[in-house]
Amino acid sequence: MGQIKIGRVLGFEISIDWSWLLIFFLVVYTLASGYFPRFYPELNVATNWGMGVLAALLLFASVLVHELSHSVVSRRYGTEVSGITLFLFGGVSQMTDEPKSAREEFWMAIVGPVMSFALAGLFYVLGGIGEATRWPVPIVAVLGYLAFINLLLGVFNLVPGFPLDGGRVLRSMIWGATNDLARATQWASYSGQGFGYAMMAFGFFMILGGNLIGGLWLIFIGWFLTGAARQSYEQLLMRQALSGVRIDQVMTTDVPEVSAGLSVRQFVDEQLLRHEFSCYPVMEDDHVVGVVGAEEVRTISSDQWERATVGNIMHRIDGAYKVTADDDAWVALTKLAPGNVCRLMVVEDEHLKGTVGRESVFRLIQTKLKLF
Ligand SMILES: [Zn+2]
């Protein structure tokens, strides 16, 4: 899914996921047609919509402040945060590393809900001042909503299911007690899945009780939480299996290099039919410039094999195909995962040191998961 970059705050790059736009309109709609008319029936329709938009924008700002608080604490602990993406029900701080200690994770996670509660208090006090000094009713109404929604955000994020903040707090406590990050993540993930299913069940009963919209929201959030909890655990397992493993430990030097000037016929007879590799690095003046395999050969008919060279049919490579020997094997997996890259080139000082195939990375993950 695409993301829109909206700028930098405190040195962090802020993006919003497209899904957030959908949520934004849903929030505006729910507020303008349900929430505000119910509590302030004296206001007209245009005012309700204006209030809806203002409240949704300030909700967006509140979520951003919540996420920034996580990122600032992470940065304090020296963990790199490349950016913040706001999506569905909050945000994700893109950390390039897992937290280094249980203590770091605890403070990094707890600060978010604390910030939401602080915002709730701030809006509540402002609303009180506004009411006492007779600010326009729509302003007071929006402040009241923001106090309520920030309180709700704080409470929701405290649900002890990974990857929500509360789940991270839970994980950090189990991690601190057992010194076992994988087990801590597993328990926090189970807890998240449990809460997700409970929410879905509760939403189902709400629908039976006649509250269709509220019930659907709860089922949706529960479903989302269940998936996120499961995924984050699987990702941690793979990441753990691969972290600390350098590319040069998984790379192979067995794959023959092919010269760009070689005819396709020669390539097929001398390499493709003799080895089991799916694709081969193509060299030009000592530099790797592309990859070639059966897929590229298929792009021309066999009567052209004599005249065409490997250089004519090869897939030119860019940064997405290159890694260095010092890189983490995790980097290799993230580059191979999309599926369109058949083999990574390990390049150092412009020279090809070896290649990394998908099979070797997955074999490594499997072996390590069996061992630990
Ligand atoms: Zn948070």
Side-chain angles (χ1 to χ4, degrees), residues 3-20:
Q3 282 160 10
I4 320 157
K5 285 189 178 135
I6 56 168
R8 282 182 164 275
V9 182
L10 297 175
F12 301 108
E13 177 119 31
I14 314 293
S15 328
I16 46 178
D17 191 277
W18 285 106
S19 64
W20 213 92

Side-chain angles (χ1 to χ4, degrees), residues 200-211:
M200 286 158 80
F202 195 67
F204 183 70
F205 285 117
M206 273 173 81
I207 293 176
L208 288 185
N211 187 346

Side-chain angles (χ1 to χ4, degrees), residues 63 66-67 69-70 90-91 93 108-109 111-113 116 153 157 163-166 168:
V63 171
H66 171 116
E67 286 310 316
S69 71
H70 289 308
S93 302
M108 186 277 287
V111 70
S116 289
L153 270 177
N157 272 294
L164 293 177
D165 296 339
R168 284 187 172 272

Side-chain angles (χ1 to χ4, degrees), residues 341-359:
V341 175
C342 64
R343 194 164 270 284
L344 292 171
M345 306 293 135
V346 186
V347 178
E348 218 149 75
D349 305 324
E350 298 280 304
H351 290 290
L352 186 66
K353 295 274 176 205
T355 65
V356 183
R358 193 181 299 276
E359 338 68 69

Side-chain angles (χ1 to χ4, degrees), residues 159-161 164 189-201 222 225-226:
V159 168
L164 293 177
S189 163
Y190 286 159
S191 170
Q193 293 178 48
F195 271 98
Y197 285 125
M199 273 184 207
M200 286 158 80
L225 182 59
T226 309

Side-chain angles (χ1 to χ4, degrees), residues 66 70 98-99 102 105-106 108-110 113 153-176 181-193 195 225 228-229 232:
H66 171 116
H70 289 308
E98 285 283 326
E105 171 149 70
F106 177 82
M108 186 277 287
I110 197 82
L153 270 177
V155 171
F156 174 68
N157 272 294
L158 276 181
V159 168
F162 199 76
L164 293 177
D165 296 339
R168 284 187 172 272
V169 170
L170 176 68
R171 179 170 88 155
S172 74
M173 294 196 292
I174 302 174
W175 184 11
L181 178 61
R183 170 149 314 161
T185 310
Q186 189 178 28
W187 288 1
S189 163
Y190 286 159
S191 170
Q193 293 178 48
F195 271 98
L225 182 59
S232 50

